[in-house]
């Protein structure tokens, strides 16, 4: 039996996604017998929840979130010292060489995918607001989930592009001429959305499927946001609340089980149900697992491979290799299935957020507050799971030493996931030194030219 959100995308979801993705205002016409309006979708709990299911399903197909070659995970890995391009794909090489142009189609897909997700969330929020046709429980759940996903998308937009337009409603005429908002304003909305989501959402997962946001996913993202804002105490507080939920989350001893569907480490995953049909593999596995010399556009960088400690299980379990006559290529092997059209059970879900990051957030937040001994305890949770010797705290430890250890563990633990390495190097001011050959203006991606041509109120990032 296949385990997923729904066995198929129903008519309400299909029509609602049509409304979400449209670029032009609608003409008011009578409702055809085979059509359904957004008002009809939000007329009862069942169809409203199906609409939310559609948002989650669509995340698997939305470029920025899907895990394919237009995703944050892949393009962020190219920008950092995670991947080396092995096949000559100019638009990918531009990310790796930090020679992006505003016309890069991968960059446009990344930007558009994030904003399409935001638009879907705005449509849900408008549909449930003050809606007496829905139960209070449904309104709360759908508002909380939509606010969380919107905050998640804006987090990546502002960290990749800096100041970005704040789109909080679905009126095309207003959205089309939106200017960029300061990053401080974007973070204000992110925090507002996440705090509200944490108030509204329950702590569990419906049907034990970790493909929907809950209170702990909101708290987990709050901990990350406060880390990036250098609010160390808040970052520690929110990550501690997640880590205390031991009835829901744990670090599996077996690294092979971390990226399985509904892993005990998962805070939030996306199901391959979004493929449709019989496909059950993730886009990450499909893109990155190499079965021939030309089977993947990238290999893992020498810098990543060379800095693992001896006997690190993450290098043994989470990295695969393919050898041709001329060369050996190394690739992320966190996902084990490259292709499966059997129509069987979903055994792997794409990981969006997981517990390992929360230990590393708290370790860094504690270190920056001078709480070095408890920071060592958090680092040891990650080290021990990786088969490494525990660090033994002594007063001789310095804050700088522990911060270096945190960054090293983040590199080896979170490689190939959601651009963590690229964003870490940027937020800590290390990108220019570590990556070499960059200019300050390379730290932000360009606003896509197609967006600039459509909206005269948009401005371009410096250097493009």
């Amino acid at each position: 039996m296949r385990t997923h959100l729904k066995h198929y995308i129903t008519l309400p979801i299909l029509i609602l996604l049509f409304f979400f993705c449209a670029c032009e205002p609608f003409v008011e016409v009578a409702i055809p017998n085979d059509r359904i309006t957004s008002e009809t979708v939000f007329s009862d709990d069942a169809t409203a929840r199906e609409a939310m299911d559609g948002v989650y399903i669509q995340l698997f197909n939305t470029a920025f979130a899907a895990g394919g070659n237009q995703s944050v995970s892949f393009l962020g890995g190219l920008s950092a010292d995670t991947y080396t391009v092995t096949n000559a794909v100019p638009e990918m090489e531009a990310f790796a060489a930090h020679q992006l142009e505003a016309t890069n189609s991968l960059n446009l897909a990344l930007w558009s995918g994030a904003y399409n997700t935001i638009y879907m969330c705005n449509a849900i929020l408008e549909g449930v607001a003050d809606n007496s046709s829905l139960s209070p429980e449904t309104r709360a759940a759908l508002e909380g989930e939509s606010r969380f996903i919107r905050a998640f998308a804006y987090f990546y937009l502002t960290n990749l592009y800096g100041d970005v337009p704040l789109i909080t409603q679905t009126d095309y005429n207003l959205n089309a001429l939106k200017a960029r908002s300061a990053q401080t304003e974007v973070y204000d909305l992110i925090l507002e959305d996440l705090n509200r989501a944490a108030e509204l959402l329950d702590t569990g997962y419906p049907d034990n499927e970790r493909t929907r946001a809950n209170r702990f996913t909101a708290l987990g993202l709050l901990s990350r946001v406060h880390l990036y804002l250098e609010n160390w105490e808040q970052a520690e507080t929110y990550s501690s609340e997640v880590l205390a939920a031991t009835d829901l989350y744990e670090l599996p001893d077996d690294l092979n089980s971390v990226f399985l569907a509904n892993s005990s480490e998962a805070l939030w995953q996306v199901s391959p149900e979004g493929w449709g049909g019989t496909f059950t593999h993730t886009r990450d596995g499909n893109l990155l697992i190499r079965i021939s010399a030309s089977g993947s556009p990238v290999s893992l960088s020498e810098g990543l491979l060379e800095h693992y400690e001896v006997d690190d299980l993450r290098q043994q379990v989470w990295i695969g290799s393919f050898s041709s006559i001329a060369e050996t290529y190394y690739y992320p092997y966190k996902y084990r299935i490259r292709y499966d059209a059997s129509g069987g059970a979903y055994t792997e879900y794409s990981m969006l957020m997981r517990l390992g990051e929360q230990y590393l957030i708290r370790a860094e937040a504690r270190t920056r507050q001078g709480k070095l001994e408890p920071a060592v305890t958090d680092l040891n949770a990650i080290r021990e799971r990786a088969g490494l010797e525990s660090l033994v705290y002594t007063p001789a430890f310095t804050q700088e030493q522990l911060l270096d250890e945190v960054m090293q563990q983040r590199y080896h633990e979170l490689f190939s996931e959601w651009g963590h390495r690229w964003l870490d190097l940027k937020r800590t001011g290390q990108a220019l030194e570590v990556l070499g050959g960059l200019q300050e203006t390379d730290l932000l991606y360009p606003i896509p030219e197609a967006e600039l041509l459509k909206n005269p109120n948009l401005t371009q990032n410096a250097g493009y």
Side-chain angles (χ1 to χ4, degrees):
M1 178 116 180
R2 302 179 77 180
T3 303
H4 45 212
L5 286 170
K6 298 288 180 186
H7 289 283
Y8 50 85
I9 301 177
T10 62
L11 179 62
I13 294 175
L14 286 172
I15 300 303
L16 191 58
L17 290 178
F18 169 77
F19 278 118
F20 287 158
C21 298
C23 304
E24 298 294 338
F26 295 107
V27 177
E28 291 188 10
V29 295
I31 306 172
N33 293 332
D34 63 341
R35 289 291 188 266
I36 183 168
T37 65
S38 58
E39 289 81 7
T40 306
V41 166
F42 295 107
S43 65
D44 62 65
D45 285 5
T47 53
R49 289 183 180 275
E50 284 184 348
M52 193 72 235
D53 287 348
V55 176
Y56 286 108
I57 289 169
Q58 191 65 11
L59 277 173
F60 191 82
N61 292 314
T62 300
F64 100 103
N69 64 6
Q70 301 168 337
S71 67
V72 173
S73 291
F74 183 70
L75 298 177
L78 287 176
S79 295
D81 50 353
T82 301
Y83 294 134
T84 299
V85 177
T86 56
N87 293 336
V89 181
E91 294 202 321
M92 293 181 188
E93 291 177 324
F95 278 87
H98 302 101
Q99 295 178 351
L100 273 176
E101 296 181 358
T103 54
N104 189 296
S105 66
L106 301 178
N107 182 55
L108 173 60
L110 179 69
W111 168 283
S112 300
Y115 272 110
N116 284 341
T117 299
I118 289 165
Y119 189 89
M120 288 191 287
C121 293
N122 290 341
I124 295 283
L125 290 169
E126 290 176 0
V128 303
D130 300 319
N131 189 333
S132 59
S133 299
L134 304 179
S135 67
E137 295 78 13
T138 294
R139 288 202 308 272
L142 270 55
E143 179 185 346
E145 290 173 75
S146 298
R147 284 183 177 273
F148 167 77
I149 296 171
R150 183 170 72 177
F152 185 81
Y154 269 123
F155 172 83
Y156 284 101
L157 280 169
T158 196
N159 277 286
L160 295 174
Y161 297 96
D163 300 344
V164 295
L166 276 179
I167 307 297
T168 57
Q169 37 72 42
T170 60
D171 188 320
Y172 171 79
N173 293 312
L174 295 176
N175 293 342
L177 296 175
K178 271 282 191 177
R180 299 169 72 179
S181 295
Q183 189 175 61
T184 53
E185 295 179 43
V186 180
Y187 268 119
D188 285 345
L189 178 65
I190 290 170
L191 289 172
E192 178 186 334
D193 276 349
L194 291 177
N195 285 321
R196 181 64 175 150
E199 292 174 359
L200 292 169
L201 293 173
D202 291 333
T203 57
Y205 294 98
D207 303 320
N208 296 316
E209 285 283 300
R210 300 189 180 212
T211 53
R212 299 189 81 108
N214 70 358
R215 183 169 187 270
F216 292 115
T217 59
L219 295 175
L221 189 52
L222 272 169
S223 72
R224 186 198 298 174
V225 168
H226 282 295
L227 187 79
Y228 276 57
L229 293 175
E230 300 184 356
N231 299 329
W232 314 125
E233 185 176 352
Q234 292 97 316
E236 179 187 4
T237 297
Y238 287 121
S239 58
S240 293
E241 190 165 350
V242 177
L243 291 166
T246 54
D247 57 330
L248 274 179
Y249 308 111
E250 66 177 357
L251 294 180
D253 293 332
D254 184 3
L255 289 172
N256 291 290
S257 67
V258 171
F259 294 89
L260 295 179
N262 301 309
S263 159
S264 61
E265 184 167 342
L267 273 65
W268 187 31
Q269 296 177 303
V270 170
S271 167
E273 180 182 7
W275 277 116
T278 61
F279 295 143
T280 64
H281 52 276
T282 65
R283 294 186 189 275
D284 311 73
N286 189 250
L287 174 67
L288 297 171
I289 295 174
R290 186 183 289 269
I291 59 173
S292 67
S294 59
S296 175
V298 296
S299 63
L300 290 171
S301 69
E302 291 184 7
L304 172 66
L305 298 170
E306 289 173 353
H307 287 92
Y308 276 97
E309 294 180 48
V310 176
D311 298 327
D312 192 323
L313 293 176
R314 292 170 298 190
Q315 186 176 30
Q316 300 172 25
V317 178
W318 286 349
I319 295 177
S321 65
F322 173 84
S323 295
S324 67
I325 296 175
E327 191 171 354
T328 296
Y329 302 90
Y330 295 90
Y331 56 85
Y333 201 37
K334 292 178 173 180
Y335 303 95
R336 302 304 174 84
I337 304 170
R338 180 180 178 275
Y339 179 81
D340 184 354
S342 68
Y346 297 115
T347 58
E348 294 181 341
Y349 289 168
S350 292
M351 186 77 75
L352 279 74
M353 295 175 61
R354 62 184 177 93
L355 197 65
E357 182 200 0
Q358 297 298 307
Y359 276 104
L360 292 167
I361 286 173
R362 192 170 69 175
E364 181 175 347
R366 285 173 163 175
T367 300
R368 292 189 185 276
Q369 295 176 83
K371 302 177 181 180
L372 303 189
E373 188 168 6
V376 167
T377 300
D378 286 334
L379 285 168
N380 281 338
I382 298 297
R383 290 181 59 87
E384 290 167 7
R385 201 261 295 269
L388 301 175
E389 290 186 6
S390 297
L391 301 175
V392 179
Y393 172 78
T394 72
F397 268 118
T398 67
Q399 187 180 60
E400 183 178 4
Q401 285 175 321
L402 277 189
L403 287 176
D404 286 345
E405 174 67 13
V406 168
M407 290 299 291
Q408 192 75 344
Q409 291 307 318
R410 287 184 67 90
Y411 191 18
H412 292 154
E413 180 75 17
L414 302 174
F415 73 92
S416 76
E417 297 178 53
W418 281 94
H420 281 293
R421 177 63 171 174
W422 174 234
L423 301 186
D424 283 345
L425 291 174
K426 293 203 307 172
R427 69 179 175 86
T428 59
Q430 299 179 68
L432 300 184
E433 176 185 354
V434 171
L435 300 178
L438 277 72
Q439 304 295 322
E440 190 74 29
T441 53
D442 294 325
L443 298 180
L444 293 176
Y445 292 164
I447 306 302
E449 183 179 76
E451 298 298 315
L452 296 170
L453 292 174
K454 289 188 295 186
N455 182 354
N457 294 325
L458 279 183
T459 57
Q460 183 56 277
N461 281 325
Y464 296 101

